[in-house]
RNA sequence: GCAGGGAUAGUGAAGCGGUCAAACACGGCAGACUGUAAAUCUGCUGGCAUAUGCCUUCGGGGGUUCGAAUCCCUCUCCCUGCA
C-alpha cells in the first residue's frame, strides 16, 4: 500500500478546520487527534492496555532517545517499534531535530522550550548549563546525556534510524530556533532545515524502495516547517516544503499558545490543503487544541499531560489542579465527576493525594491515565463538533469554564 | 548511689561568647512544567510588618558578661560505664 492515506470528510466553513482520517499500515487515525507521547518507546507510567483503554490512537517516539538506548538496530531486530513496545496501532517518530535545540541552543542561551522562562534561573537551564549539541550544515554532533559519548546525526542518518525503528510516520530532520533567536540565525536555520528536508526525502525514498523490494510497507515522511515568528519566513518554509513530495507536514518551533492563531495560521494557509498537518509538541491546554483545530491542525502531540501527571497536576473541565494540595487530603470525590476515565471511575482525590504524598508509583499511573484521557477525549469531542457543526458552541463552553478564573 | 555524656525550631542534626531567628537534611505549604537530559525544578517554612525592621525562642530556674544556644550554679529528664 501507499505509505499513508489521508481523507478529509468534513470541514468547518469559514475556518481552516477539517475532520478526516489518516490511514497507515497499522490502522487509521481519526483526525483531529491527539498523539500520545512515547518518547523512549514507552508512554511513561502506562501500559499499552492503558493507552488503548483511554482512547489513544497513536504514539510518537523519539529517534535521538532510541538511537542512544536501546539502539535502532535492537528495535529493528525486535520487529520494529510497535512490536517492541507491544503497540499494534499507528506510530510516529520524531527525527531528533528537537534535541538539536533542547541539547544545544536552548542551554547556551539559558532558556527552555517555553520561551517565557527566559530568566535563566528556572527549570531546564539550571539542570546543567552545558551545551551538548553543535550544528553545522552537514549535521549535528551530540554528546549523549546518558554517558557523554559523542554521536552524529545527519538528515540521512535520521532517516536510516527512523526506518530501522520502523514507525509509520517519520519526521524530517530539522533545526528549530528559539523565538528569541536573531532573524539572521532563524533564516540560516530555516534554510538549513530546507536543505536537510531535501536530503531526507532522497534518503527516505531509497529506503522505501528497499522496503518494497523486501515486501515490506512503505513508511511516510513529514516535512517540518520552521521560520520562528516571522510571517514571511514561515510562509516561505511552508511553500518550499509544500512543493515537495512529503506525505504530510510537521509544524515545529511553536512555543506559545498565542502563536497558534498567527504562526500556525500562516503555515496552514500556505501548505497544500490535501495533506495532514501535525503540530509538534503543542497541545496540553484546551486553548491549544481548539485553536489548533480551528487553524487547520490534524494531529497534536505533547508530553505535558504525562509529565504534569507525574508531578501531581491533573486536568479538570474547570482548570488544572494540583492533587498534592492540602485541601485534597480528605476530598473523597473523583478528579472530575464528568470524566469517564479509569481513574475517575474508581479513585478519589484523597487517594491520589495520598499516593503522591507517599511517593507511590501508582499515583503517576492513575494521574497519567486521567490526563491523557482528558486530552484525547477533548480532541475527540472537538472532532465530533466539527462534524456536527457545533465547534464554536463547544469552544465557547470550554473557554468559559476552563479559563473562568 | 558514683563517674561521664546529652537535652537546639514539626523531626533528625550543626553551631560551642558577638557576624544566630539559628547551617543542612527531611517533613510542611505553594508554584512551574507544551516535538520528555523532567516520578523534575523553584520559592517559602518561629510570630508580626510589603522592605531596611520589631518581638519571642536553643530542657526549667538562677548567675557571669557590654553581649549567652554557646561560660558557671542548680533542678528535671535521657543515655553510657561502675556499683
Amino acid at each position: 500500500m501507499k505509505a499513508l492515506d489521508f481523507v478529509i470528510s468534513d470541514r468547518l466553513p469559514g475556518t481552516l478546520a477539517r475532520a478526516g482520517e489518516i490511514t497507515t499500515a497499522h490502522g487509521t487515525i481519526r483526525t483531529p487527534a491527539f498523539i500520545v507521547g512515547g518518547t523512549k518507546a514507552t508512554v511513561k507510567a502506562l501500559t499499552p492496555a492503558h493507552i488503548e483503554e483511554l482512547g489513544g490512537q497513536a504514539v510518537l517516539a523519539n529517534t535521538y532517545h532510541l538511537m542512544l538506548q536501546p539502539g535502532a538496530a535492537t528495535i529493528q531486530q525486535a520487529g520494529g517499534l510497535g512490536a517492541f513496545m507491544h503497540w499494534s496501532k499507528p506510530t510516529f517518530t520524531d527525527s531528533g531535530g528537537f534535541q538539536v535545540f533542547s541539547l544545544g541552543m536552548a542551554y547556551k542561551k539559558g532558556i527552555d522550550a517555553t520561551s517565557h522562562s527566559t530568566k535563566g534561573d528556572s527549570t531546564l537551564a539550571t539542570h546543567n548549563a552545558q551545551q551538548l549539541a553543535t550544528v553545522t550544515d552537514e549535521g549535528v554532533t551530540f554528546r549523549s546525556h546518558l554517558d557523554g559519548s559523542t554521536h552524529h546525526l545527519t538528515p540521512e542518518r535520521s532517516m536510516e534510524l527512523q526506518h530501522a525503528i520502523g514507525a509509520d510516520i517519520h519526521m524530517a530532520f530539522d533545526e528549530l530556533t528559539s523565538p528569541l533567536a536573531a532573524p539572521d540565525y532563524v533564516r540560516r536555520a530555516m534554510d538549513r532545515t530546507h536543505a536537510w528536508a531535501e536530503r531526507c526525502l532522497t534518503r527516505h525514498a531509497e529506503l522505501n524502495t528497499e522496503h518494497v523490494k523486501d515486501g515490506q510497507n512503505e513508511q511516510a515522511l513529514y516535512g517540518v516547517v520552521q521560520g520562528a515568528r516571522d510571517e514571511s519566513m514561515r510562509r516561505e518554509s511552508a511553500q518550499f516544503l509544500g512543493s515537495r513530495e512529503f506525505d504530510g507536514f510537521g509544524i515545529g518551533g511553536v512555543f506559545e499558545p498565542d502563536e497558534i492563531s498567527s504562526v500556525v495560521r500562516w503555515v496552514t494557509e500556505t501548505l497544500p490543503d490535501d495533506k495532514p498537518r501535525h503540530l509538534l509538541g503543542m497541545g496540553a491546554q484546551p486553548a491549544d487544541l481548539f485553536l489548533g483545530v480551528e487553524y487547520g491542525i490534524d494531529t497534536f502531540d505533547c508530553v505535558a499531560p504525562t509529565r504534569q501527571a507525574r508531578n501531581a497536576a491533573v486536568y479538570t473541565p474547570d482548570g488544572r489542579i494540583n492533587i498534592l494540595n492540602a485541601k485534597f487530603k480528605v476530598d473523597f470525590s473523583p478528579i472530575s465527576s464528568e470524566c469517564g476515565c479509569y481513574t475517575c471511575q474508581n479513585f478519589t482525590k484523597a487517594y491520589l493525594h495520598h499516593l503522591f504524598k507517599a511517593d507511590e508509583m501508582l499515583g503517576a499511573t492513575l494521574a497519567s491515565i486521567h490526563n491523557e484521557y482528558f486530552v484525547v477525549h477533548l480532541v475527540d469531542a472537538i472532532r465530533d463538533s466539527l462534524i456536527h457543526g457545533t465547534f464554536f458552541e463547544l469552544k465557547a463552553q470550554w473557554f468559559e469554564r476552563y479559563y473562568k478564573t
Side-chain angles (χ1 to χ4, degrees):
Chain A
M1 67 170 282
K2 212 170 113 190
L4 174 151
D5 191 48
F6 181 53
V7 178
I8 295 173
S9 58
D10 298 87
R11 291 176 186 275
L12 186 67
T15 74
L16 296 161
R18 64 268 191 89
E21 288 185 349
I22 296 170
T23 301
T24 73
H26 290 93
T28 295
I29 303 166
R30 297 179 315 281
T31 63
F34 182 79
I35 311 305
V36 177
T39 305
K40 297 193 226 177
T42 166
V43 179
K44 295 183 194 298
L46 302 183
T47 67
H50 291 132
I51 306 164
E52 190 125 5
E53 187 187 336
L54 64 83
Q57 300 191 68
V59 165
L60 181 143
N62 183 286
T63 303
Y64 165 81
H65 288 275
L66 294 177
M67 74 185 257
L68 297 182
Q69 192 177 55
T74 300
I75 295 174
Q76 185 168 37
Q77 221 179 316
L81 178 63
F84 188 48
M85 66 181 287
H86 188 55
W87 175 252
S88 61
K89 292 185 172 181
T91 48
F92 291 63
T93 37
D94 189 21
S95 61
F98 183 72
Q99 280 67 35
V100 181
F101 171 78
S102 67
L103 303 181
M105 294 303 280
Y107 287 88
K108 198 177 180 182
K109 302 290 185 201
I111 61 171
D112 67 18
T114 60
S115 54
H116 41 260
S117 41
T118 52
K119 296 135 316 215
D121 62 353
S122 65
T123 60
L124 274 184
T126 53
H127 236 251
N128 184 344
Q130 194 179 12
Q131 191 178 350
L132 296 178
T134 51
V135 196
T136 68
D137 289 341
E138 201 262 330
V140 181
T141 302
F142 294 99
R143 283 198 29 240
S144 164
H145 67 281
L146 297 175
D147 61 7
S149 57
T150 302
H151 299 264
H152 198 57
L153 211 44
T154 62
E156 291 79 10
R157 187 74 189 128
S158 178
M159 290 300 102
E160 288 155 14
L161 291 165
Q162 290 189 72
H163 277 266
I165 291 166
D168 298 300
I169 298 173
H170 304 172
M171 295 291 155
F173 189 60
D174 65 324
E175 179 185 2
L176 63 156
T177 47
S178 159
L180 305 164
D184 63 322
Y185 191 84
V186 175
R187 170 97 242 165
R188 204 139 45 93
M190 186 187 80
D191 287 342
R192 182 148 55 203
T193 293
H194 292 173
W196 287 358
E198 303 212 291
R199 288 163 59 187
C200 282
L201 272 176
T202 302
R203 189 70 188 112
H204 174 76
E206 292 167 1
L207 291 160
N208 260 347
T209 303
E210 289 176 26
H211 290 322
V212 171
K213 231 186 322 185
D214 297 342
Q216 293 169 337
N217 295 310
E218 289 190 31
Q219 292 160 3
L221 178 63
Y222 283 19
V224 179
V225 177
Q226 291 295 342
R229 288 172 171 164
D230 183 286
E231 179 169 358
S232 64
M233 280 197 268
R234 279 289 179 179
R235 288 189 188 276
E236 181 185 336
S237 187
Q239 182 69 46
F240 180 96
L241 297 168
S243 67
R244 298 331 196 248
E245 287 298 303
F246 287 107
D247 299 289
F249 303 93
I251 301 172
V254 177
F255 296 104
E256 298 287 356
D258 65 21
E259 290 176 284
I260 293 171
S261 51
S262 53
V263 172
V264 169
R265 178 171 58 80
W266 302 329
V267 170
T268 51
E269 281 174 352
T270 309
L271 284 173
D273 180 67
D274 60 347
K275 290 181 179 175
R277 298 87 174 252
H278 180 90
L279 181 56
L280 284 156
M282 256 273 146
Q285 291 215 33
D288 308 339
L289 274 3
F290 277 100
L291 292 172
V293 169
E294 191 172 341
Y295 290 108
I297 295 300
D298 300 301
T299 52
F300 300 84
D301 79 88
C302 189
V303 302
T306 49
R307 181 186 293 167
Q308 295 184 347
R310 268 175 275 126
N311 295 312
V314 292
Y315 307 144
T316 84
D318 298 296
R320 204 180 84 182
I321 62 173
N322 186 344
I323 204 69
L324 231 21
N325 286 172
K327 63 184 172 191
F328 299 123
K329 185 174 165 63
V330 288
D331 184 333
F332 299 105
S333 64
I335 297 166
S336 168
S337 56
E338 299 154 58
C339 181
C341 84
Y342 172 74
T343 302
C344 287
Q345 292 302 306
N346 297 289
F347 303 93
T348 64
K349 291 200 222 32
Y351 183 64
L352 265 88
H353 176 89
H354 162 251
L355 292 178
F356 275 97
K357 278 287 183 196
D359 204 23
E360 280 293 337
M361 294 185 288
L362 185 59
T365 296
L366 294 179
S368 296
I369 288 172
H370 171 80
N371 279 359
E372 287 290 354
Y373 180 102
F374 183 93
V375 174
V376 162
H377 281 256
L378 176 54
V379 177
D380 288 350
I382 294 172
R383 181 180 199 270
D384 287 343
S385 78
L386 238 38
I387 293 167
H388 298 112
T390 55
F391 175 85
F392 286 108
E393 288 91 311
L394 188 70
K395 180 184 170 190
Q397 277 168 29
W398 270 85
F399 275 58
E400 165 76 14
R401 272 188 77 177
Y402 195 87
Y403 298 104
K404 69 174 174 290
T405 43

